[in-house]
């Protein structure tokens, strides 16, 4: 079920539990600002989720409320993950779902990094 991205942050969401180490994950990158790990249900040969360490419901919440240093750190982490995976030359896709129409399911901001094969058109028609 998609979430309502206007609700307050719920610290019982699954990614908050991953950040606290309460649920295992396959980490591919971590720094002061972000954690990146393999999606449990990959939609491409490489499907990594990058999440900020701060408590933000969505891209809307993050872009509206996060300090500039935190935004820069997170964006740099997303780029680092793609470079580290060798995705720059073949190309890749970033996706951040927001709220109901975006079909966001986990209420902690995450950017999907997809790669490893041609990804086709942007949306299913
Ligand atoms: P959304 O639809 O919110 O943009 O994407 C949520 C993503 O989180 C989905 O791709 C889903 O497979 C992934 N996911 C949900 N629960 C877990 C989990 O416990 N561990 C990992 N690694 N990924 C999860």
């Amino acid at each position: 079920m998609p979430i309502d991205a206007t609700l307050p942050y719920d610290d019982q969401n699954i990614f908050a539990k991953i950040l606290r180490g309460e649920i295992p994950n396959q980490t591919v990158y971590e720094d002061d600002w972000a954690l990146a790990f393999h999606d449990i249900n990959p939609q491409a040969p490489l499907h990594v989720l990058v999440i900020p360490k701060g408590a933000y419901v969505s891209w809307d919440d993050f872009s509206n409320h996060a300090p500039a240093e935190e935004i820069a750190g997170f964006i740099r982490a997303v780029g680092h993950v793609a470079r580290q995976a060798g995705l720059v030359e073949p190309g890749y896709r970033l996706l951040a779902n927001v709220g109901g129409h975006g079909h966001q399911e986990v209420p902690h901001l995450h950017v999907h990094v997809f790669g490893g094969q041609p990804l086709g058109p942007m949306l299913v028609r």
Side-chain angles (χ1 to χ4, degrees), residues 3-89:
I3 60 122
D4 178 348
T6 66
L7 292 176
Y9 187 80
D10 170 10
D11 69 3
Q12 293 308 304
N13 79 76
I14 198 98
F15 293 168
K17 291 179 180 177
I18 285 176
L19 280 172
R20 291 194 295 266
E22 296 166 13
I23 291 179
N25 73 93
Q26 288 182 272
T27 298
V28 298
Y29 178 73
E30 181 169 13
D31 64 19
D32 288 348
W33 308 109
L35 177 70
F37 51 90
H38 288 286
D39 195 290
I40 204 168
N41 182 25
Q43 308 288 316
L46 185 126
H47 183 177
V48 166
L49 301 171
V50 190
I51 68 175
K53 290 205 166 164
Y56 299 98
V57 175
S58 70
W59 187 270
D60 178 69
D61 185 16
F62 187 67
S63 60
N64 200 11
H65 298 121
E69 194 183 25
E70 205 169 346
I71 292 174
F74 179 66
I75 299 288
R76 286 196 187 281
V78 174
H80 182 91
V81 166
R83 277 193 301 281
Q84 174 183 274
L87 296 181
V88 178
E89 189 275 321

